[in-house]
Amino acid sequence: MRRLIPVLKQDGVDTDLIMLVRTILAASKEIAFRVSQGELAGILGSTLNENIQGEVQKKLDVLANQLIKEMLLDDESVRAIASEEEEHVVAGHSTGRYIVAFDPLDGSSNIDVNGQIGTIFTVYPAREDVAYDSCQQFHQPGINQLCAGYILYGPSSLLVLSTGGPTRCYTLDLTHGGYLLTKAQMNVPRDSCEFAINMANYRHWSRVTQAYFDQVLYASERFRHSSVRWNAAMVGDVHRVLSRGGIFLYPEDARLGNETGKLRLLYEANPLSLLIEKAGGKATSSGRRTLEIMPKDLHQRVPVVLGSVGPVDDFNSAVFSA
């Protein structure tokens, strides 16, 4: 099995970007260790604070955010960073070549029950036409991403990464502390009967979305072999889709704040959409390609439908052609 750095060099990745990825992964190894210790490390439970999203922060949320932030700010190639846990852009080095956005710990509700959680990150080229600490640094469509990936913490810690080429999977080897290539090309099957969605939100969906799932669950013979898989962590659900096909959905709904979607474009939708596309899948938001959306806000939310091409097209045709 090959180590990460030689694979990135073979892919023609710029040396500065390789070093930046190493910085992120150094933080991920520390987080992976803390996760494996659980209660022994004193990282379970919630704090008394809420993040910018209005969500109660878990102790591990705060720890993971601080670890990644401090390591990135020590890297001279980083001009600015944006985190799901931070209200504003955090300034880095004014001459840095890259900007980095990340969700330090996706799936926080799973922490205390030993469920799936992960770190999502994305790297863009720094903009020369705006101030280095401006939020407009991140007003770039997802197609501009130079690198996107996530680390899934679990029985083994997995890195799924694309630097513009194939979506590859690496496994953290605890014997020497490095990530080894374990799947050179992840491929999403074109069709699948599995889907991941929080069905408890059915009552909040639009009529046409409800009608689609009425067919999936009860009416259509075509969907008789369908099965629901829901981890309550986008990173875990998307990893299942990347590994065996299917579709992940988080549509907009009628609840206050969710009218235009719940998931963050910058920290969640864009990086995971890039990984899905580079694995042969499809990623959309309100029927359009997610990676072409021009962000207007650092914490902008969007509806998300991604995965196998067949079911993604089916959903969009049923809902947006109705």
Side-chain angles (χ1 to χ4, degrees):
M1 294 183 184
R2 303 175 61 200
R3 298 194 182 205
L4 172 71
I5 302 306
V7 175
L8 295 182
K9 288 181 178 178
Q10 174 193 292
D11 287 345
V13 180
D14 187 272
T15 300
D16 285 346
L17 183 55
I18 292 176
M19 294 301 103
L20 176 54
V21 171
R22 286 187 64 184
T23 297
I24 296 169
L25 297 184
S28 79
K29 294 173 190 177
E30 179 65 23
I31 296 169
F33 174 73
R34 301 292 182 93
V35 169
S36 70
Q37 293 293 97
E39 190 71 63
L40 300 177
I43 47 81
L44 301 188
S46 302
T47 68
L48 299 177
N49 301 317
E50 292 184 349
N51 63 14
I52 182 58
Q53 318 296 336
E55 302 161 340
V56 174
Q57 290 179 305
K58 298 288 188 178
K59 293 178 182 177
L60 192 54
D61 273 326
V62 177
L63 173 65
N65 184 65
Q66 198 62 30
L67 276 170
I68 298 171
K69 181 168 73 170
E70 289 179 357
M71 288 191 176
L72 286 174
L73 293 179
D74 279 340
D75 191 318
E76 292 186 357
S77 71
V78 177
R79 186 171 300 197
I81 63 175
S83 167
E84 186 184 8
E85 301 297 324
E86 304 276 347
E87 183 174 2
H88 304 293
V89 166
V90 179
H93 302 269
S94 60
T95 58
R97 298 176 59 189
Y98 308 111
I99 57 173
V100 184
F102 60 93
D103 180 350
L105 213 61
D106 182 67
S108 297
S109 63
N110 286 340
I111 293 173
D112 294 346
V113 297
N114 209 30
Q116 284 192 313
I117 52 178
T119 297
I120 307 172
F121 62 91
T122 178
V123 180
Y124 289 80
R127 292 179 56 179
E128 302 297 339
D129 58 332
V130 297
Y132 77 103
D133 57 351
S134 168
C135 65
Q136 292 184 45
Q137 284 285 347
F138 293 90
H139 290 185
Q140 302 186 47
I143 54 175
N144 285 9
Q145 292 174 103
L146 300 173
C147 169
Y150 62 79
I151 302 96
L152 182 65
Y153 308 110
S156 59
S157 291
L158 303 177
L159 164 67
V160 175
L161 181 75
S162 173
T163 52
T167 295
R168 306 191 193 277
C169 183
Y170 304 80
T171 301
L172 180 59
D173 182 0
L174 298 178
T175 61
H176 71 76
Y179 284 94
L180 300 181
L181 180 67
T182 46
K183 198 168 188 63
Q185 169 73 69
M186 301 188 81
N187 294 296
V188 180
R190 182 175 179 82
D191 289 293
S192 173
C193 291
E194 288 189 357
F195 62 97
I197 191 167
N198 187 350
M199 290 302 302
N201 293 333
Y202 175 94
R203 61 191 180 276
H204 303 297
W205 295 336
S206 68
R207 179 192 57 79
V208 288
T209 300
Q210 288 176 340
Y212 174 80
F213 281 97
D214 289 342
Q215 292 292 314
V216 171
L217 295 173
Y218 308 115
S220 177
E221 179 68 13
R222 178 184 172 200
F223 295 108
R224 66 188 183 280
H225 298 303
S226 292
S227 56
V228 181
R229 298 288 184 265
W230 180 251
N231 287 301
M234 185 183 184
V235 66
D237 287 311
V238 171
H239 186 73
R240 177 184 287 274
V241 171
L242 278 167
S243 300
R244 53 192 286 176
I247 182 173
F248 171 89
L249 310 97
Y250 212 118
E252 61 267 67
D253 61 53
R255 290 173 295 174
L256 183 64
N258 286 7
E259 301 92 342
T260 58
K262 178 178 175 61
L263 299 175
R264 268 64 64 165
L265 175 63
L266 181 59
Y267 315 105
E268 296 165 319
N270 271 343
L272 295 180
S273 292
L274 180 70
L275 294 171
I276 286 288
E277 285 198 4
K278 294 299 181 180
K282 192 168 188 176
T284 64
S285 177
S286 297
R288 63 177 294 196
R289 187 186 182 199
T290 303
L291 295 180
E292 294 178 351
I293 298 173
M294 179 61 74
K296 299 176 182 178
D297 181 78
L298 203 60
H299 299 287
Q300 181 175 338
R301 298 172 185 256
V302 293
V304 173
V305 178
L306 56 76
S308 297
V309 172
V312 170
D313 284 345
D314 284 347
F315 176 83
N316 287 332
S317 177
V319 172
F320 298 106
S321 299

